[in-house]
Amino acid sequence: MDQFTLNLLIVGATFALYIGIAIWARAGSTAEFYAAGQGVPPVMNGMATGADWMSAASFISMAGLIAFGGYDTSAYLMGWTGGYVLLAMLLAPYLRKFGKFTVPEFIGDRFYSKTARLVAVICLIVASVTYVIGQMTGVGVAFSRFLEVDKATGLYIGAAIVFAYAVLGGMKGITYTQVAQYVVLIIAYTIPAVFISLQLTGNPLPPLGLFSDAKSSGQPLLTTLEQLVTDLGFKSYLTQSDTTLNMFLFTVSLMIGTAGLPHVIVRFFTVPKVADARSSAGWALVFIALLYLTAPAVAAMARLNLINTVYPQGAAAAPISYEARPEWMKNWEVTGLLKFEDKNGDGLINYVGAKDANELTVNNDIMVLANPEIADLPGWVIALVAAGGLAAALSTAAGLLLAISSAISHDLIKGQLNPGISEKGELLAARISMAVAIAVATYLGLNPPGFAAQTVALAFGLAASSIFPALMMGIFSKRINNKGAVAGMLAGLTITVVYIFLHKGWFFVPGTNSFTDADPLLLSIKSTSFGAVGALVNFVVAYFVSNASAEPPKHVQDLVESIRVPKGAGAATGH
Amino acid sequence: MADNSSSNAYWAANIKTIKIFLVIWFVCSFGFGILLRPMLSGIGVGGTDLGFWFAQQGSIIVFLILIFAYAAKMNKLDREHGVEE
């Protein structure tokens, strides 16, 4: 059986599994599901949160960025896991006690202001749409490879499937479908990693293999890799090239962005008890950590395998000729994501650090998907990775689209513009906003502002600068009032959006930027790291504006008192 | 809700716990992984140094321990102050 048929079979089988579970779970327990996921134990909820959370950025893109960025990209690993500590301690238990379903609802009630709720909706939409662009990039890469078409066609097909998938709606919300998606994606991620770790180091556990000796050289794997990349003139894998300031701010931005992303926060609204909200965050991180502890190993090993493929005799000897290139390179050339240009006309693949002499361009986003092919693993493993990448992208894209559509139909239209809207009208508005969001994201996904994980990092910066500070101040301060919160959110969001657009182009349109991340406007702060600065601006503005105006009314101060203690939490309501 | 004095003591205990845990959280990620890495460069781990290990692996393990420890600690505080569900 050829690889193409195998891909279709395995991807098709996983889709059949999700749909099957959706139908099975629906038939028995619709009522149970709408009663706020009660009876879903924290472990299961954690697994479902893991699927919701780990997107194309985590699955397809992150290890590729680490493979080419080395130590500097550690911010992705720390940032996208450390945020769960903040969620568990600073937000989840109190928002669960508050007991409503959407983030703008909390902000609207706590800051006793329709304007605050509206601003929260805007922040949510800006962050989520940016996030979906990153997902579309990843979906496009996955589909282009496994259907063997070019990148743009892959993106259109992906967009159509995401649309159908998200509009099915309920499917995403059913916890057990997400549990299945988690299982598919984690198996797809770890199996090739175990194979490759065994091949390279003899250790079956990739996180241990990363720090073990490489079989080929008898030296530690990382030493071997470092030697190769520096010999070829690439930037060091182990030492820091980025500035400490930017790396620090980037990690902060990803961490507090994690804690401010609405589609993750809502998962904690639906656990039975406040105590479960805390442990659910822990279980979510357990399942996320399985991937995140594997990712740095995947990254280093993929890079090593890539270099060894091009230089089978070592970095000092000549590389392979273009004619002798392996099958996987030919496959990826079709997508346009891997390119060879024979600059010196010698017919050899000169893969080196110097830009003007390098002849091989490898898109970072293909590394995870190409990894099993590079390591020459069996065909079913390659197909499994494609299925895993799609599970990751689809579950997150659907979750985000639901967050966007519920913000528009529930918080904006029903909550503000037209409270008397019928249920049918609300649903139609939700579907239309979903379609618009996909269309915008697809269009911008054709010329994405960065690799999938970088685009997603921008979304985190936006959430970090707008939603996280408002939520945290709403819980930990009784003094922050409506004016302070609105001014803070607007200031944080605006300054971050402007900074991103100045570097990535206005509305991400290529060529309209005034600065680049290589030479940023402010010190060494890249646009992906600016969310941390935006959050600081948000906190400072909210503090001063609040102190200059009247303190919140008594009933709001009582509300803050009540969300701080677990006792008396009912089931979540308000949808 | 419990009487005010008890819930204030509960909240103060919670804030104290959060502060301690955030210090550990910060030191093990931003500290060992980024800011203090040069100071840890003498300690080797499998072909690199301890700071690299914290940045790519150690911090995640610490985060996991922190969340479960916080959940356990808060369950105990909930009971002590009579504010559990």
Side-chain angles (χ1 to χ4, degrees), chain A residues 320-362:
Chain A
I320 56 167
S321 74
Y322 181 66
E323 288 311 313
R325 70 194 185 284
E327 201 61 31
W328 68 265
M329 281 195 181
K330 293 176 194 163
N331 292 337
W332 281 100
E333 276 175 323
V334 177
T335 65
L337 295 164
L338 181 138
K339 288 189 196 99
F340 170 73
E341 186 194 349
D342 197 359
K343 287 177 183 160
N344 62 3
D346 65 356
L348 302 179
I349 303 176
N350 293 298
Y351 176 53
V352 292
K355 277 223 164 65
D356 45 351
N358 180 39
E359 300 177 345
L360 182 68
T361 326
V362 184

mmCIF file of all heavy atoms in Angstrom, chain A residues 320-362:
data_model
loop_
_atom_site.group_PDB
_atom_site.id
_atom_site.type_symbol
_atom_site.label_atom_id
_atom_site.label_comp_id
_atom_site.label_asym_id
_atom_site.label_seq_id
_atom_site.Cartn_x
_atom_site.Cartn_y
_atom_site.Cartn_z
ATOM 1 N N ILE A 320 25.427 15.281 0.396
ATOM 2 C CA ILE A 320 24.897 14.437 -0.681
ATOM 3 C C ILE A 320 24.518 15.299 -1.883
ATOM 4 O O ILE A 320 24.324 16.511 -1.766
ATOM 5 C CB ILE A 320 23.653 13.646 -0.222
ATOM 6 C CG1 ILE A 320 22.573 14.609 0.322
ATOM 7 C CG2 ILE A 320 24.017 12.603 0.809
ATOM 8 C CD1 ILE A 320 21.224 13.966 0.496
ATOM 9 N N SER A 321 24.432 14.667 -3.043
ATOM 10 C CA SER A 321 24.046 15.426 -4.234
ATOM 11 C C SER A 321 22.522 15.516 -4.307
ATOM 12 O O SER A 321 21.805 14.717 -3.708
ATOM 13 C CB SER A 321 24.576 14.736 -5.485
ATOM 14 O OG SER A 321 23.814 13.580 -5.735
ATOM 15 N N TYR A 322 22.064 16.527 -5.022
ATOM 16 C CA TYR A 322 20.621 16.750 -5.142
ATOM 17 C C TYR A 322 19.944 15.538 -5.771
ATOM 18 O O TYR A 322 18.829 15.156 -5.394
ATOM 19 C CB TYR A 322 20.382 18.006 -5.977
ATOM 20 C CG TYR A 322 18.918 18.352 -6.150
ATOM 21 C CD1 TYR A 322 18.142 18.728 -5.052
ATOM 22 C CD2 TYR A 322 18.314 18.305 -7.405
ATOM 23 C CE1 TYR A 322 16.810 19.046 -5.195
ATOM 24 C CE2 TYR A 322 16.985 18.629 -7.558
ATOM 25 C CZ TYR A 322 16.233 19.002 -6.447
ATOM 26 O OH TYR A 322 14.911 19.300 -6.598
ATOM 27 N N GLU A 323 20.624 14.930 -6.725
ATOM 28 C CA GLU A 323 20.062 13.743 -7.399
ATOM 29 C C GLU A 323 19.849 12.597 -6.418
ATOM 30 O O GLU A 323 18.925 11.810 -6.571
ATOM 31 C CB GLU A 323 20.995 13.306 -8.543
ATOM 32 C CG GLU A 323 20.989 14.242 -9.743
ATOM 33 C CD GLU A 323 19.577 14.571 -10.213
ATOM 34 O OE1 GLU A 323 18.767 13.639 -10.339
ATOM 35 O OE2 GLU A 323 19.275 15.779 -10.420
ATOM 36 N N ALA A 324 20.714 12.513 -5.405
ATOM 37 C CA ALA A 324 20.650 11.390 -4.466
ATOM 38 C C ALA A 324 19.780 11.697 -3.251
ATOM 39 O O ALA A 324 19.794 10.971 -2.273
ATOM 40 C CB ALA A 324 22.057 11.021 -4.013
ATOM 41 N N ARG A 325 19.024 12.794 -3.313
ATOM 42 C CA ARG A 325 18.241 13.177 -2.137
ATOM 43 C C ARG A 325 17.197 12.111 -1.815
ATOM 44 O O ARG A 325 16.663 11.448 -2.714
ATOM 45 C CB ARG A 325 17.568 14.529 -2.365
ATOM 46 C CG ARG A 325 16.436 14.527 -3.390
ATOM 47 C CD ARG A 325 16.098 15.953 -3.772
ATOM 48 N NE ARG A 325 14.943 16.046 -4.653
ATOM 49 C CZ ARG A 325 14.953 15.759 -5.949
ATOM 50 N NH1 ARG A 325 16.041 15.283 -6.530
ATOM 51 N NH2 ARG A 325 13.854 15.920 -6.671
ATOM 52 N N PRO A 326 16.889 11.972 -0.516
ATOM 53 C CA PRO A 326 15.930 10.930 -0.131
ATOM 54 C C PRO A 326 14.500 11.285 -0.552
ATOM 55 O O PRO A 326 14.181 12.446 -0.858
ATOM 56 C CB PRO A 326 16.052 10.883 1.395
ATOM 57 C CG PRO A 326 16.619 12.205 1.786
ATOM 58 C CD PRO A 326 17.463 12.662 0.634
ATOM 59 N N GLU A 327 13.653 10.256 -0.513
ATOM 60 C CA GLU A 327 12.267 10.379 -0.933
ATOM 61 C C GLU A 327 11.510 11.493 -0.204
ATOM 62 O O GLU A 327 10.745 12.255 -0.790
ATOM 63 C CB GLU A 327 11.572 9.023 -0.701
ATOM 64 C CG GLU A 327 10.318 8.796 -1.509
ATOM 65 C CD GLU A 327 10.568 8.829 -3.014
ATOM 66 O OE1 GLU A 327 11.683 8.450 -3.471
ATOM 67 O OE2 GLU A 327 9.662 9.256 -3.726
ATOM 68 N N TRP A 328 11.744 11.616 1.127
ATOM 69 C CA TRP A 328 10.965 12.583 1.907
ATOM 70 C C TRP A 328 11.205 14.010 1.443
ATOM 71 O O TRP A 328 10.305 14.846 1.484
ATOM 72 C CB TRP A 328 11.225 12.427 3.402
ATOM 73 C CG TRP A 328 12.600 12.809 3.886
ATOM 74 C CD1 TRP A 328 13.649 11.972 4.062
ATOM 75 C CD2 TRP A 328 13.051 14.112 4.265
ATOM 76 N NE1 TRP A 328 14.742 12.657 4.518
ATOM 77 C CE2 TRP A 328 14.413 13.975 4.655
ATOM 78 C CE3 TRP A 328 12.467 15.375 4.316
ATOM 79 C CZ2 TRP A 328 15.173 15.058 5.086
ATOM 80 C CZ3 TRP A 328 13.231 16.451 4.742
ATOM 81 C CH2 TRP A 328 14.565 16.291 5.122
ATOM 82 N N MET A 329 12.439 14.303 0.967
ATOM 83 C CA MET A 329 12.700 15.661 0.471
ATOM 84 C C MET A 329 11.871 15.933 -0.779
ATOM 85 O O MET A 329 11.306 17.012 -0.944
ATOM 86 C CB MET A 329 14.181 15.826 0.146
ATOM 87 C CG MET A 329 15.036 16.063 1.363
ATOM 88 S SD MET A 329 16.665 16.689 0.892
ATOM 89 C CE MET A 329 17.425 16.839 2.501
ATOM 90 N N LYS A 330 11.788 14.926 -1.637
ATOM 91 C CA LYS A 330 10.978 15.090 -2.853
ATOM 92 C C LYS A 330 9.524 15.351 -2.480
ATOM 93 O O LYS A 330 8.865 16.224 -3.047
ATOM 94 C CB LYS A 330 11.066 13.831 -3.725
ATOM 95 C CG LYS A 330 12.447 13.602 -4.303
ATOM 96 C CD LYS A 330 12.499 12.289 -5.082
ATOM 97 C CE LYS A 330 13.946 11.913 -5.356
ATOM 98 N NZ LYS A 330 14.106 10.512 -5.730
ATOM 99 N N ASN A 331 9.021 14.590 -1.491
ATOM 100 C CA ASN A 331 7.632 14.764 -1.060
ATOM 101 C C ASN A 331 7.363 16.181 -0.569
ATOM 102 O O ASN A 331 6.341 16.780 -0.887
ATOM 103 C CB ASN A 331 7.300 13.789 0.075
ATOM 104 C CG ASN A 331 7.284 12.348 -0.390
ATOM 105 O OD1 ASN A 331 7.103 12.085 -1.579
ATOM 106 N ND2 ASN A 331 7.501 11.427 0.527
ATOM 107 N N TRP A 332 8.283 16.681 0.216
ATOM 108 C CA TRP A 332 8.052 18.010 0.787
ATOM 109 C C TRP A 332 8.293 19.126 -0.220
ATOM 110 O O TRP A 332 7.778 20.228 -0.059
ATOM 111 C CB TRP A 332 8.890 18.214 2.045
ATOM 112 C CG TRP A 332 8.265 17.540 3.225
ATOM 113 C CD1 TRP A 332 8.613 16.334 3.756
ATOM 114 C CD2 TRP A 332 7.152 18.004 3.992
ATOM 115 N NE1 TRP A 332 7.791 16.026 4.808
ATOM 116 C CE2 TRP A 332 6.886 17.037 4.976
ATOM 117 C CE3 TRP A 332 6.349 19.151 3.949
ATOM 118 C CZ2 TRP A 332 5.859 17.174 5.910
ATOM 119 C CZ3 TRP A 332 5.331 19.281 4.881
ATOM 120 C CH2 TRP A 332 5.088 18.304 5.844
ATOM 121 N N GLU A 333 9.091 18.842 -1.266
ATOM 122 C CA GLU A 333 9.278 19.856 -2.310
ATOM 123 C C GLU A 333 7.959 20.185 -2.997
ATOM 124 O O GLU A 333 7.709 21.317 -3.379
ATOM 125 C CB GLU A 333 10.308 19.364 -3.346
ATOM 126 C CG GLU A 333 11.742 19.635 -2.911
ATOM 127 C CD GLU A 333 12.763 19.050 -3.866
ATOM 128 O OE1 GLU A 333 12.521 17.938 -4.404
ATOM 129 O OE2 GLU A 333 13.789 19.680 -4.090
ATOM 130 N N VAL A 334 7.100 19.166 -3.115
ATOM 131 C CA VAL A 334 5.784 19.364 -3.739
ATOM 132 C C VAL A 334 5.007 20.468 -3.033
ATOM 133 O O VAL A 334 4.322 21.281 -3.649
ATOM 134 C CB VAL A 334 4.963 18.040 -3.699
ATOM 135 C CG1 VAL A 334 3.580 18.251 -4.281
ATOM 136 C CG2 VAL A 334 5.705 16.947 -4.431
ATOM 137 N N THR A 335 5.111 20.524 -1.692
ATOM 138 C CA THR A 335 4.338 21.509 -0.935
ATOM 139 C C THR A 335 4.944 22.902 -1.002
ATOM 140 O O THR A 335 4.314 23.868 -0.607
ATOM 141 C CB THR A 335 4.281 21.115 0.560
ATOM 142 O OG1 THR A 335 5.628 21.181 1.084
ATOM 143 C CG2 THR A 335 3.766 19.706 0.762
ATOM 144 N N GLY A 336 6.173 22.995 -1.480
ATOM 145 C CA GLY A 336 6.831 24.307 -1.527
ATOM 146 C C GLY A 336 7.424 24.711 -0.192
ATOM 147 O O GLY A 336 7.928 25.815 -0.034
ATOM 148 N N LEU A 337 7.356 23.820 0.789
ATOM 149 C CA LEU A 337 7.845 24.167 2.125
ATOM 150 C C LEU A 337 9.298 23.743 2.331
ATOM 151 O O LEU A 337 9.915 24.055 3.328
ATOM 152 C CB LEU A 337 6.952 23.517 3.190
ATOM 153 C CG LEU A 337 5.518 24.058 3.189
ATOM 154 C CD1 LEU A 337 4.583 23.155 3.965
ATOM 155 C CD2 LEU A 337 5.469 25.470 3.752
ATOM 156 N N LEU A 338 9.825 23.004 1.358
ATOM 157 C CA LEU A 338 11.242 22.652 1.386
ATOM 158 C C LEU A 338 11.789 23.007 0.007
ATOM 159 O O LEU A 338 11.215 22.615 -1.017
ATOM 160 C CB LEU A 338 11.392 21.158 1.680
ATOM 161 C CG LEU A 338 12.822 20.618 1.782
ATOM 162 C CD1 LEU A 338 12.935 19.654 2.940
ATOM 163 C CD2 LEU A 338 13.245 19.939 0.505
ATOM 164 N N LYS A 339 12.873 23.778 -0.005
ATOM 165 C CA LYS A 339 13.374 24.251 -1.301
ATOM 166 C C LYS A 339 14.873 24.021 -1.424
ATOM 167 O O LYS A 339 15.615 24.184 -0.463
ATOM 168 C CB LYS A 339 13.100 25.754 -1.466
ATOM 169 C CG LYS A 339 11.640 26.092 -1.684
ATOM 170 C CD LYS A 339 11.490 27.556 -2.048
ATOM 171 C CE LYS A 339 10.052 28.005 -1.892
ATOM 172 N NZ LYS A 339 9.806 28.706 -0.617
ATOM 173 N N PHE A 340 15.284 23.656 -2.653
ATOM 174 C CA PHE A 340 16.707 23.537 -2.929
ATOM 175 C C PHE A 340 17.054 24.452 -4.090
ATOM 176 O O PHE A 340 16.350 24.502 -5.095
ATOM 177 C CB PHE A 340 17.063 22.084 -3.281
ATOM 178 C CG PHE A 340 18.464 21.933 -3.805
ATOM 179 C CD1 PHE A 340 19.546 22.043 -2.950
ATOM 180 C CD2 PHE A 340 18.699 21.703 -5.155
ATOM 181 C CE1 PHE A 340 20.836 21.921 -3.430
ATOM 182 C CE2 PHE A 340 19.991 21.576 -5.652
ATOM 183 C CZ PHE A 340 21.061 21.681 -4.782
ATOM 184 N N GLU A 341 18.127 25.203 -3.913
ATOM 185 C CA GLU A 341 18.549 26.110 -4.974
ATOM 186 C C GLU A 341 20.061 25.945 -5.113
ATOM 187 O O GLU A 341 20.816 26.231 -4.186
ATOM 188 C CB GLU A 341 18.208 27.553 -4.561
ATOM 189 C CG GLU A 341 18.470 28.586 -5.627
ATOM 190 C CD GLU A 341 18.433 29.992 -5.030
ATOM 191 O OE1 GLU A 341 18.013 30.144 -3.874
ATOM 192 O OE2 GLU A 341 18.852 30.932 -5.728
ATOM 193 N N ASP A 342 20.501 25.436 -6.264
ATOM 194 C CA ASP A 342 21.926 25.119 -6.437
ATOM 195 C C ASP A 342 22.711 26.383 -6.776
ATOM 196 O O ASP A 342 22.988 26.679 -7.929
ATOM 197 C CB ASP A 342 22.084 24.068 -7.535
ATOM 198 C CG ASP A 342 23.456 23.405 -7.466
ATOM 199 O OD1 ASP A 342 24.245 23.790 -6.578
ATOM 200 O OD2 ASP A 342 23.717 22.518 -8.290
ATOM 201 N N LYS A 343 23.088 27.135 -5.716
ATOM 202 C CA LYS A 343 23.700 28.447 -5.945
ATOM 203 C C LYS A 343 25.068 28.350 -6.608
ATOM 204 O O LYS A 343 25.405 29.147 -7.469
ATOM 205 C CB LYS A 343 23.816 29.202 -4.623
ATOM 206 C CG LYS A 343 22.466 29.691 -4.126
ATOM 207 C CD LYS A 343 22.573 30.368 -2.770
ATOM 208 C CE LYS A 343 21.179 30.770 -2.280
ATOM 209 N NZ LYS A 343 21.134 30.993 -0.847
ATOM 210 N N ASN A 344 25.887 27.375 -6.197
ATOM 211 C CA ASN A 344 27.223 27.305 -6.785
ATOM 212 C C ASN A 344 27.306 26.293 -7.922
ATOM 213 O O ASN A 344 28.376 26.038 -8.471
ATOM 214 C CB ASN A 344 28.288 27.028 -5.705
ATOM 215 C CG ASN A 344 28.060 25.680 -5.028
ATOM 216 O OD1 ASN A 344 27.142 24.942 -5.412
ATOM 217 N ND2 ASN A 344 28.878 25.369 -4.047
ATOM 218 N N GLY A 345 26.174 25.684 -8.277
ATOM 219 C CA GLY A 345 26.108 24.827 -9.449
ATOM 220 C C GLY A 345 26.893 23.527 -9.358
ATOM 221 O O GLY A 345 27.189 22.920 -10.384
ATOM 222 N N ASP A 346 27.203 23.062 -8.129
ATOM 223 C CA ASP A 346 27.975 21.823 -8.033
ATOM 224 C C ASP A 346 27.090 20.588 -7.870
ATOM 225 O O ASP A 346 27.580 19.475 -7.746
ATOM 226 C CB ASP A 346 29.013 21.905 -6.904
ATOM 227 C CG ASP A 346 28.365 22.009 -5.525
ATOM 228 O OD1 ASP A 346 27.115 22.086 -5.456
ATOM 229 O OD2 ASP A 346 29.094 22.018 -4.514
ATOM 230 N N GLY A 347 25.768 20.799 -7.839
ATOM 231 C CA GLY A 347 24.853 19.666 -7.751
ATOM 232 C C GLY A 347 24.753 19.061 -6.361
ATOM 233 O O GLY A 347 24.009 18.118 -6.140
ATOM 234 N N LEU A 348 25.506 19.614 -5.388
ATOM 235 C CA LEU A 348 25.452 19.099 -4.019
ATOM 236 C C LEU A 348 24.540 19.979 -3.167
ATOM 237 O O LEU A 348 24.363 21.169 -3.452
ATOM 238 C CB LEU A 348 26.860 19.082 -3.409
ATOM 239 C CG LEU A 348 27.920 18.262 -4.152
ATOM 240 C CD1 LEU A 348 29.256 18.378 -3.440
ATOM 241 C CD2 LEU A 348 27.493 16.809 -4.280
ATOM 242 N N ILE A 349 23.947 19.366 -2.125
ATOM 243 C CA ILE A 349 23.076 20.139 -1.233
ATOM 244 C C ILE A 349 23.939 20.772 -0.158
ATOM 245 O O ILE A 349 24.211 20.169 0.874
ATOM 246 C CB ILE A 349 21.992 19.243 -0.604
ATOM 247 C CG1 ILE A 349 21.161 18.565 -1.695
ATOM 248 C CG2 ILE A 349 21.092 20.058 0.314
ATOM 249 C CD1 ILE A 349 20.136 17.594 -1.178
ATOM 250 N N ASN A 350 24.393 21.996 -0.390
ATOM 251 C CA ASN A 350 25.212 22.676 0.605
ATOM 252 C C ASN A 350 24.291 23.324 1.624
ATOM 253 O O ASN A 350 23.696 24.365 1.372
ATOM 254 C CB ASN A 350 26.102 23.725 -0.073
ATOM 255 C CG ASN A 350 27.142 23.079 -0.956
ATOM 256 O OD1 ASN A 350 27.989 22.330 -0.487
ATOM 257 N ND2 ASN A 350 27.045 23.329 -2.248
ATOM 258 N N TYR A 351 24.185 22.645 2.793
ATOM 259 C CA TYR A 351 23.306 23.128 3.857
ATOM 260 C C TYR A 351 24.189 23.716 4.942
ATOM 261 O O TYR A 351 24.810 22.999 5.723
ATOM 262 C CB TYR A 351 22.478 21.944 4.373
ATOM 263 C CG TYR A 351 21.580 22.265 5.535
ATOM 264 C CD1 TYR A 351 20.684 23.333 5.466
ATOM 265 C CD2 TYR A 351 21.596 21.491 6.686
ATOM 266 C CE1 TYR A 351 19.847 23.617 6.524
ATOM 267 C CE2 TYR A 351 20.762 21.766 7.753
ATOM 268 C CZ TYR A 351 19.887 22.834 7.675
ATOM 269 O OH TYR A 351 19.064 23.112 8.718
ATOM 270 N N VAL A 352 24.301 25.056 4.939
ATOM 271 C CA VAL A 352 25.227 25.726 5.858
ATOM 272 C C VAL A 352 24.569 26.950 6.474
ATOM 273 O O VAL A 352 23.504 27.392 6.042
ATOM 274 C CB VAL A 352 26.521 26.175 5.138
ATOM 275 C CG1 VAL A 352 27.347 24.977 4.724
ATOM 276 C CG2 VAL A 352 26.189 27.049 3.929
ATOM 277 N N GLY A 353 25.221 27.497 7.505
ATOM 278 C CA GLY A 353 24.662 28.632 8.217
ATOM 279 C C GLY A 353 24.691 29.931 7.424
ATOM 280 O O GLY A 353 23.766 30.733 7.510
ATOM 281 N N ALA A 354 25.759 30.137 6.641
ATOM 282 C CA ALA A 354 25.889 31.394 5.905
ATOM 283 C C ALA A 354 24.766 31.525 4.880
ATOM 284 O O ALA A 354 24.565 30.643 4.052
ATOM 285 C CB ALA A 354 27.241 31.452 5.209
ATOM 286 N N LYS A 355 24.006 32.641 4.936
ATOM 287 C CA LYS A 355 22.792 32.796 4.135
ATOM 288 C C LYS A 355 23.062 32.731 2.630
ATOM 289 O O LYS A 355 22.314 32.105 1.885
ATOM 290 C CB LYS A 355 22.119 34.133 4.471
ATOM 291 C CG LYS A 355 21.246 34.039 5.705
ATOM 292 C CD LYS A 355 19.914 34.772 5.483
ATOM 293 C CE LYS A 355 18.874 34.371 6.514
ATOM 294 N NZ LYS A 355 19.247 34.766 7.886
ATOM 295 N N ASP A 356 24.152 33.394 2.174
ATOM 296 C CA ASP A 356 24.377 33.473 0.727
ATOM 297 C C ASP A 356 24.915 32.164 0.148
ATOM 298 O O ASP A 356 24.899 31.970 -1.068
ATOM 299 C CB ASP A 356 25.309 34.646 0.386
ATOM 300 C CG ASP A 356 26.512 34.695 1.321
ATOM 301 O OD1 ASP A 356 26.514 33.935 2.313
ATOM 302 O OD2 ASP A 356 27.436 35.484 1.058
ATOM 303 N N ALA A 357 25.394 31.256 1.007
ATOM 304 C CA ALA A 357 25.919 29.989 0.504
ATOM 305 C C ALA A 357 24.952 28.826 0.740
ATOM 306 O O ALA A 357 25.062 27.788 0.093
ATOM 307 C CB ALA A 357 27.262 29.678 1.152
ATOM 308 N N ASN A 358 23.988 29.021 1.646
ATOM 309 C CA ASN A 358 23.077 27.936 1.971
ATOM 310 C C ASN A 358 22.134 27.638 0.806
ATOM 311 O O ASN A 358 21.596 28.544 0.177
ATOM 312 C CB ASN A 358 22.248 28.295 3.210
ATOM 313 C CG ASN A 358 21.288 27.185 3.583
ATOM 314 O OD1 ASN A 358 21.625 26.009 3.500
ATOM 315 N ND2 ASN A 358 20.091 27.571 3.964
ATOM 316 N N GLU A 359 21.946 26.362 0.503
ATOM 317 C CA GLU A 359 21.122 25.995 -0.659
ATOM 318 C C GLU A 359 19.841 25.258 -0.292
ATOM 319 O O GLU A 359 19.026 24.977 -1.153
ATOM 320 C CB GLU A 359 21.957 25.122 -1.610
ATOM 321 C CG GLU A 359 23.192 25.853 -2.102
ATOM 322 C CD GLU A 359 24.066 25.003 -2.985
ATOM 323 O OE1 GLU A 359 23.885 23.768 -3.013
ATOM 324 O OE2 GLU A 359 24.932 25.574 -3.655
ATOM 325 N N LEU A 360 19.692 24.928 0.986
ATOM 326 C CA LEU A 360 18.512 24.163 1.406
ATOM 327 C C LEU A 360 17.684 24.988 2.393
ATOM 328 O O LEU A 360 18.182 25.414 3.434
ATOM 329 C CB LEU A 360 18.952 22.852 2.081
ATOM 330 C CG LEU A 360 17.831 21.920 2.523
ATOM 331 C CD1 LEU A 360 17.105 21.331 1.328
ATOM 332 C CD2 LEU A 360 18.378 20.810 3.414
ATOM 333 N N THR A 361 16.423 25.264 2.053
ATOM 334 C CA THR A 361 15.543 25.979 2.961
ATOM 335 C C THR A 361 14.482 25.020 3.468
ATOM 336 O O THR A 361 13.745 24.432 2.669
ATOM 337 C CB THR A 361 14.840 27.158 2.251
ATOM 338 O OG1 THR A 361 15.757 27.693 1.291
ATOM 339 C CG2 THR A 361 14.428 28.214 3.221
ATOM 340 N N VAL A 362 14.430 24.852 4.773
ATOM 341 C CA VAL A 362 13.446 23.952 5.377
ATOM 342 C C VAL A 362 12.518 24.779 6.247
ATOM 343 O O VAL A 362 12.954 25.394 7.216
ATOM 344 C CB VAL A 362 14.139 22.874 6.241
ATOM 345 C CG1 VAL A 362 13.114 21.887 6.781
ATOM 346 C CG2 VAL A 362 15.210 22.157 5.446
#
